[in-house]
Amino acid sequence: MGASCQDQRKAVAICLQRSPCVLIERHTPQECIENPKLSKDLPELCMAQMKAFLDCKRGIVDMTKRFRGNGALSTGKYDEQYEKLSTGNFNAREEYEKLKLLDSASKN
């Protein structure tokens, strides 16, 4: 059942890599999440994806979901983006613009 949260985990990682906290201020994603000063400036999209990931992880130990399952297994939807961002093979300005576009679309 641990594989059911793989897509959510990668979506959070991608969003954090695109955030100003990591791209501009050069903090690690872990610092951006754990430090209250830094986490309040994270985009709403990242916070929503983090909540979805934590709900998925919580669902793994939820006894009501033991028989039905926690969700679909990983689809590999974010594998390519995750690989590019984790290896450093990306344009920082382009990734930041993508995040701004996605964050503004979620507000509307």
Side-chain angles (χ1 to χ4, degrees), residues 37-98:
K37 282 184 176 180
L38 299 174
S39 66
K40 70 179 176 109
D41 294 330
L42 286 175
E44 290 178 26
L45 179 65
C46 293
M47 298 309 286
Q49 288 176 339
M50 177 65 81
K51 183 182 181 319
F53 173 65
L54 294 176
D55 287 344
C56 182
K57 294 296 275 185
R58 199 172 301 116
I60 290 174
V61 295
D62 186 4
M63 287 309 213
T64 61
K65 294 184 179 181
R66 283 288 183 198
F67 294 109
R68 291 180 291 168
N70 192 28
L73 293 177
S74 176
T75 60
K77 178 179 178 181
Y78 299 106
D79 288 348
E80 186 180 332
Q81 287 177 323
Y82 181 76
E83 187 66 32
K84 279 177 48 179
L85 288 170
S86 62
T87 58
N89 184 18
F90 64 93
N91 181 352
R93 289 183 195 269
E94 183 180 308
E95 295 299 326
Y96 183 64
E97 290 300 319
K98 285 180 188 176

